[in-house]
């Protein structure tokens, strides 16, 4: 019987207690800051990142992993007898999948399947975990691919940012550009659709933006059950906990498979900026 390993990337930033017990490998993206390069979540933690950001005169940028980084992980797993399901941040947001594809091409193997999550953060994380659970139960590579593709269609991300400055500066603003130049104080609600950042609504205050974000989340989930909820934040843990509590109140406890607050990785924080809060969810799986 084949065995399947799951490979994802650091933008998923899956909490350690959820990842334990699975054959789940994470390839870090990079934060480039002045003349220094940090592996996302390895050489720099979110706390270190935001502490440095407060006093930074030079703003950080990000870069994708190299094909060689993928090739090294793939080779090791293949030699251990694993087939590989490799699922990553949306290709519309990063060149990470391109590096993965180059590595697969170099290895010239059909034992690696690469999936575009069309997501990021715990949107990607939920998908990777869903496949890892199936793999642990003995699912084949083809079955894992089917599960991953289904998971992509059952996952969503909504978030509210304090400012569009970071998305704009990092070139990831996408459809949120429609909100550039709006009055100061308006808080944009953004989402991921087909892997791209889109403008959803603009709300006058962050508190009202959080309430409206939850309304939109509930509307999008509809009757799909069970629900997995991650309240995401960029250096705003208290706000994320309040968001999580409010979101969970909208459902019966038995309808929620899991719910937790989670930080986003430094690479994601580079583009959203501090103060961002959001919801990543998977429903109906």
């Amino acid at each position: 019987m084949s065995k399947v390993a799951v490979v994802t990337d650091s933008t998923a930033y899956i909490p350690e207690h959820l990842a334990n017990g699975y054959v789940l490998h994470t390839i870090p993206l990079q934060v480039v800051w002045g003349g220094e390069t940090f592996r996302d979540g390895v050489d720099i933690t979110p706390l270190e990142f935001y502490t440095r950001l407060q006093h930074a005169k030079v703003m950080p940028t990000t870069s994708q992993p190299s094909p060689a980084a993928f090739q090294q992980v793939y080779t090791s797993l293949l030699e251990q007898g694993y087939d590989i399901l490799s699922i990553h941040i949306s290709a519309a947001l990063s060149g990470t999948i391109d590096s993965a594809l180059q590595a697969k091409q170099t290895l010239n193997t059909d034992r690696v399947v690469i999936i575009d999550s069309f997501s990021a953060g715990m949107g990607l994380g939920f998908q990777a975990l869903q496949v890892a659970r199936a793999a642990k139960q003995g699912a084949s590579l083809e079955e894992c691919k089917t599960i991953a593709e289904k998971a992509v269609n059952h996952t969503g991300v909504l978030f509210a940012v304090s400012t569009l400055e970071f998305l704009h500066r990092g070139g990831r603003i996408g459809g949120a550009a429609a909100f550039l130049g709006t009055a100061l104080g308006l808080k944009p609600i953004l989402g991921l659709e087909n892997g791209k950042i889109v403008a959803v609504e603009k709300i006058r205050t962050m508190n009202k933006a959080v309430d409206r974000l939850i309304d939109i989340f509930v509307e999008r989930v509809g009757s799909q059950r069970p629900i997995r909820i991650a309240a995401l934040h960029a250096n705003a843990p208290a706000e994320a906990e309040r968001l999580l509590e409010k979101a969970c109140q909208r459902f019966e406890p038995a309808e929620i498979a899991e719910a937790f607050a989670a930080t986003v990785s430094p690479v994601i924080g580079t583009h959203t900026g501090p103060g961002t809060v959001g919801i990543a969810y998977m429903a109906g799986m």
Side-chain angles (χ1 to χ4, degrees):
M1 184 176 69
S2 67
K3 52 183 184 177
V4 178
V6 178
V7 176
T8 189
D9 62 70
S10 61
T11 65
Y13 219 68
I14 302 169
E16 190 174 337
H17 73 278
L18 293 178
N20 286 342
Y22 300 114
V23 184
L24 180 58
H25 293 257
T26 300
I27 295 181
L29 278 73
Q30 297 174 330
V31 176
V32 181
W33 214 330
E36 298 177 278
T37 299
F38 303 92
R39 289 172 297 169
D40 189 29
V42 178
D43 302 321
I44 187 166
T45 66
L47 179 60
E48 291 166 341
F49 174 79
Y50 293 113
T51 300
R52 179 167 173 168
L53 190 66
Q54 286 178 334
H55 308 288
K57 295 178 180 177
V58 176
M59 288 294 104
T61 59
T62 62
S63 67
Q64 68 212 50
S66 67
F70 278 97
Q71 189 172 338
Q72 182 178 6
V73 171
Y74 289 168
T75 298
S76 174
L77 290 170
L78 291 169
E79 288 175 348
Q80 294 174 61
Y82 287 101
D83 292 339
I84 299 167
L85 191 292
S86 198
I87 186 164
H88 299 286
I89 181 174
S90 168
L93 299 176
S94 170
T96 298
I97 281 181
D98 186 54
S99 290
L101 289 168
Q102 288 182 54
K104 176 181 176 177
Q105 186 176 22
T106 299
L107 292 171
N108 191 26
T109 179
D110 58 2
R111 292 172 55 203
V112 178
V113 169
I114 297 169
I115 300 288
D116 187 338
S117 72
F118 290 91
S119 195
M122 270 307 300
L124 165 60
F126 281 135
Q127 296 172 23
L129 286 168
Q130 192 75 2
V131 178
R133 280 189 283 265
K136 188 174 183 178
Q137 293 168 4
S140 68
L141 182 59
E142 190 60 35
E143 288 168 335
C144 286
K145 179 186 177 189
T146 299
I147 289 164
E149 290 171 343
K150 181 180 178 184
V152 168
N153 294 321
H154 286 259
T155 308
V157 176
L158 293 161
F159 58 105
V161 296
S162 292
T163 173
L164 290 170
E165 174 191 354
F166 290 87
L167 282 169
H168 184 48
R169 186 168 54 209
R172 301 303 198 280
I173 194 161
F179 287 164
L180 280 174
T182 55
L184 289 175
L186 289 179
K187 302 303 177 187
I189 296 177
L190 310 173
L192 291 177
E193 289 183 13
N194 297 317
K196 298 178 181 179
I197 295 173
V198 297
V200 180
E201 289 184 17
K202 51 188 177 184
I203 306 296
R204 192 154 297 282
T205 67
M206 185 57 91
N207 283 339
K208 289 181 178 177
V210 165
D211 289 341
R212 180 60 188 138
L213 189 153
I214 293 170
D215 288 341
I216 297 167
F217 157 59
V218 172
E219 291 165 9
R220 293 190 176 183
V221 166
S223 61
Q224 298 178 92
R225 301 291 185 274
I227 305 162
R228 303 178 189 276
I229 307 169
L232 305 177
H233 71 90
N235 204 34
E239 291 81 353
E241 289 290 351
R242 284 195 292 271
L243 171 58
L244 181 64
E245 183 179 358
K246 286 184 174 183
C248 289
Q249 287 171 353
R250 303 290 288 271
F251 303 97
E252 295 296 328
E255 296 177 314
I256 301 173
E258 57 186 335
F260 54 90
T263 188
V264 295
S265 80
V267 159
I268 297 294
T270 297
H271 297 291
T272 65
T276 297
V277 293
I279 291 178
Y281 62 91
M282 177 180 285
M285 291 189 72

